[in-house]
Amino acid sequence: MPDAREPLPTVRATPPTADRARLLASWALAADAIDELELAAALMDEAGLPATETASRRAGIAYLRGTPQETVRILGELGMTAVPAEGPQRIEHVLLLGAQAATGDHPAFARLVALGGSIPAEHRAWFLYVLAVAAERCGRLEIADDAWRSLAVDVGVSSSLVLSRFLSGWVAGRDTRDADRAMSQVLQAAQALRSASPRPWQDASTMRRTVEALDLRGDSAGAALLTAAVGRTSPPDPRLAELAACYRPEVRRAPVVVPVVVAAVATLVAAVPGLAAGVALVIMLRSRWRAVPSLSMTDERVWFGLGAMRFDARKVQEGASQQVRSLVVVLVLGGALLAVLASVGLWSAAQEVWPDVPLLVQVAIWLVPVVVLPAVGGALGQWLLRDADLRALRRRDAEHDRQIVAEARRCACWEVASLIGPRADAYVAVHLRPVSGPDMEVSTAGRAATVFACPLSGVRWLATTAESGVSTLLLRGTAAPSAFDGAQQPIGTGGYL
C-alpha cells in the first residue's frame, strides 16, 4: 500500500485539454457558490470555455462584484438587451432587471420586487441575491436586510458576503429604547460570527466586512458594540484588537466617577438622607452628563453592559448577563456578614481609643463596611463567574475543533462542494493526497494553489487561500478520467448493493 501522502499518479484517458477545462469549470462553479467572486472569474477565464457557455455565470459574478453595467454588457452578448413586457422568461432576465435597477432604474426595481411571489423554488436563492444587491443600490435597506436574512436563515447560505450583510442589517436594526433587548441582538450577531468557520480569531475577514458594512450605512455605534461583543468571548488576537480600536468610542471617566464620589461623600455626611440625595444626583446626571457622547443613551447602556458582561456558556443567546447567579448571592451575603462583624469590631476599638466618638466617625464606622464589603463580594462573584464562563466557552470551542479533525477522516466528496478554514486544513491533512502533473498547475488570481485528490472517489480538490488571504480554501472538482480503475473496494456491503 502506498504511503498516505504519496502523490497519486496522473492518468490521461481523455485529452488533457478537455479534462482540464471541465475541472477548472467545476472549481469555478464551487468558488462562485460560496461567493469567492474574484477566484471564480479567474478559474472561469482559465478554463477557456466558449463565451456563450459562461456568459450567464460571468454576468452574475459581475453583478455581485458591484458592476451592474458590466452585467448588462455581458448579457447583451446573449442578445438580452431588454426584459420582455410580459415579464422575465429566463433567470437571465431577472438578472438583467436587477442590473437595470442597480443603475438607478426605479421602475425596474419595482418590477423586480413584484416578481418575488412568482419565482420558482429552484431559483429562489439566486433571486434573493439579485434583490438584495439591487435594494442596496436603490437605498432600500429594509428590503435588502430582509433578503440577506432570508438567504442566511431560510436558504442556509453561510458565505462571508451573505453572513456579513445579514449580520450588519441585524445589528443595525437593534432596539433603540430597550437596552437589554439591544444587547441580546448584538450578542446574537456575535455568536453567529463565533460559530462561523473560520472563527473571528482565526480569520477576521467576515468580522471586518460586517463592521465595514455597518459603518457604510452610518452605524459606527453598531460596529463598536459588535467588535466589543466578539472581543469579550474571543482569545487575544491582534487583528480583532486592531479592529476594535478602530471603532472604540471615546469614553469620558468624569461622568462616571464624579457622581459616585459625590454620592459617597453625601452619604458620609448625612447618612441615609445623603445616600438618597446621592442616588438622585447620579440618576439626574446620567442623562445629562454623558460618558459616551457619540452613542445614544440605549447604546451607551449596552456598551457598559458589555464591559461588565458575565457570559453564561449555557445561555449566551438569552442575555444571561442580567441573571443573578448563586455565587454572587453567596458572596454578597458573605460580604454583608463580614461587614457587620467588621463594624462591631471597629466600633469597640473606637470606643476604647476614643471615648467620645464624633457622629461623623460613627456613621463611617457603621456605613462604610456595610456598603463596601457586600459590593466587593458581588464584584468578586461577577469576576469569578465571567472568568469561568469564558473558559467554558473556549473549552467548547476547542472540543468543536477536535471534532472537526475527527470528521475529516471521513470522505466528504459526496456531500460538500467546498471547505474553508480549519475544516479545509484538517481534510487536506488526514484525507487527501497531492496530485502531480503539468496539467495540475493552476493560476488562481495570484493565490498559491495545490491540487489534491480523494483516494476513494478520485475527486480532485483545489487547495488555495480564501479572499482574505488567511484561511485555506478547498474547492471540489471532477474526478480523474480513470479514477475508478484502481478505486478501493467497498467494505461491508454484504451483497446488498
Side-chain angles (χ1 to χ4, degrees):
M1 178 181 291
D3 182 76
R5 304 300 298 175
E6 180 182 343
L8 294 173
T10 302
V11 182
R12 299 178 184 170
T14 60
T17 54
D19 174 50
R20 178 178 172 82
R22 288 194 300 270
L23 181 60
L24 289 167
S26 64
W27 285 335
L29 292 177
D32 187 27
I34 56 171
D35 301 326
E36 283 282 344
L37 306 176
E38 182 181 358
L39 179 60
L43 291 169
M44 199 166 295
D45 290 342
E46 190 174 354
L49 298 174
T52 54
E53 294 184 17
T54 62
S56 178
R57 185 72 60 173
R58 287 186 290 112
I61 291 174
Y63 182 74
L64 292 181
R65 294 176 75 177
T67 55
Q69 297 87 351
E70 179 68 9
T71 300
V72 173
R73 186 195 65 79
I74 295 173
L75 291 176
E77 298 175 3
L78 298 176
M80 296 185 185
T81 57
V83 180
E86 62 273 17
Q89 305 299 308
R90 301 173 55 181
I91 192 63
E92 288 81 7
H93 288 149
V94 177
L95 180 58
L96 178 59
L97 204 58
Q100 292 171 346
T103 55
D105 188 339
H106 291 284
F109 180 67
R111 292 183 67 186
L112 181 65
V113 173
L115 283 175
S118 59
I119 293 293
E122 62 269 21
H123 298 310
R124 181 71 179 172
W126 180 231
F127 168 75
L128 291 171
Y129 271 105
V130 175
L131 178 63
V133 173
E136 282 185 347
R137 296 293 290 262
C138 291
R140 301 302 300 267
L141 294 181
E142 73 284 359
I143 295 178
D145 291 344
D146 289 342
W148 291 121
R149 181 185 185 282
S150 186
L151 270 172
V153 177
D154 300 333
V155 181
V157 179
S158 59
S159 68
S160 179
L161 170 66
V162 172
L163 188 60
S164 62
R165 290 294 201 279
F166 159 53
L167 293 179
S168 64
W170 179 258
V171 173
R174 65 192 178 279
D175 200 295
T176 58
R177 295 185 178 182
D178 188 331
D180 290 342
R181 185 173 297 177
M183 182 185 293
S184 178
Q185 290 172 286
V186 173
L187 285 175
Q188 287 172 2
Q191 178 66 11
L193 286 168
R194 293 184 67 260
S195 301
S197 180
R199 300 182 185 277
W201 57 89
Q202 297 166 338
D203 186 343
S205 58
T206 302
M207 176 74 182
R208 183 178 297 276
R209 293 177 78 162
T210 305
V211 296
E212 287 175 351
L214 280 165
D215 197 24
L216 189 62
R217 62 195 295 165
D219 189 12
S220 58
L225 296 177
L226 184 59
T227 54
V230 173
R232 293 290 292 117
T233 53
S234 299
D237 179 75
R239 290 163 296 191
L240 287 180
E242 178 186 357
L243 201 57
C246 291
Y247 294 97
R248 184 180 295 113
E250 179 185 359
V251 180
R252 299 185 299 191
R253 297 298 179 188
V256 177
V257 175
V258 172
V260 174
V261 172
V262 172
V265 172
T267 302
L268 292 176
V269 173
V272 175
L275 177 62
V279 171
L281 177 65
V282 170
I283 295 174
M284 181 183 68
L285 291 180
R286 180 70 173 169
S287 59
R288 290 172 173 80
W289 195 14
R290 300 287 306 286
V292 192
S294 62
L295 302 182
S296 68
M297 177 60 72
T298 301
D299 285 345
E300 181 179 310
R301 290 172 178 168
V302 174
W303 174 262
F304 285 112
L306 291 172
M309 203 71 197
R310 286 187 292 108
F311 284 95
D312 189 334
R314 299 160 297 180
K315 298 181 180 179
V316 69
Q317 294 184 354
E318 286 77 24
S321 61
Q322 305 303 317
Q323 295 181 359
V324 178
R325 292 161 70 181
S326 56
L327 180 60
V328 177
V329 175
V330 169
L331 290 179
V332 168
L333 293 177
L337 178 61
L338 185 61
V340 172
L341 296 176
S343 296
V344 171
L346 288 173
W347 177 248
S348 300
Q351 285 184 321
E352 292 179 3
V353 176
W354 196 352
D356 189 13
V357 181
L359 178 62
L360 183 61
V361 176
Q362 294 179 30
V363 171
I365 287 175
W366 287 102
L367 191 60
V368 171
V370 170
V371 172
V372 172
L373 292 180
V376 170
L380 178 62
Q382 297 270 21
W383 181 83
L384 290 173
L385 287 173
R386 183 170 60 220
D387 181 70
D389 288 337
L390 284 172
R391 285 188 281 107
L393 281 172
R394 290 170 184 172
R395 283 196 302 270
R396 187 175 66 184
D397 292 339
E399 177 61 28
H400 183 260
D401 292 339
R402 286 192 291 271
Q403 290 177 0
I404 288 175
V405 175
E407 292 171 359
R409 301 182 184 278
R410 300 195 295 266
C411 181
C413 299
W414 57 276
E415 62 175 344
V416 297
S418 60
L419 293 168
I420 188 170
R423 293 181 184 275
D425 292 329
Y427 202 62
V428 168
V430 303
H431 186 72
L432 301 180
R433 292 187 288 176
V435 176
S436 61
D439 288 344
M440 296 299 103
E441 297 177 2
V442 183
S443 173
T444 53
R447 311 180 196 182
T450 307
V451 180
F452 292 86
C454 171
L456 174 62
S457 65
V459 169
R460 291 165 291 185
W461 293 77
L462 179 66
T464 181
T465 56
E467 185 179 359
S468 64
V470 177
S471 299
T472 301
L473 174 65
L474 272 180
L475 302 174
R476 186 185 66 193
T478 58
S482 57
F484 306 108
D485 293 349
Q488 300 174 8
Q489 180 68 29
I491 299 175
T493 60
Y496 179 74
L497 297 178

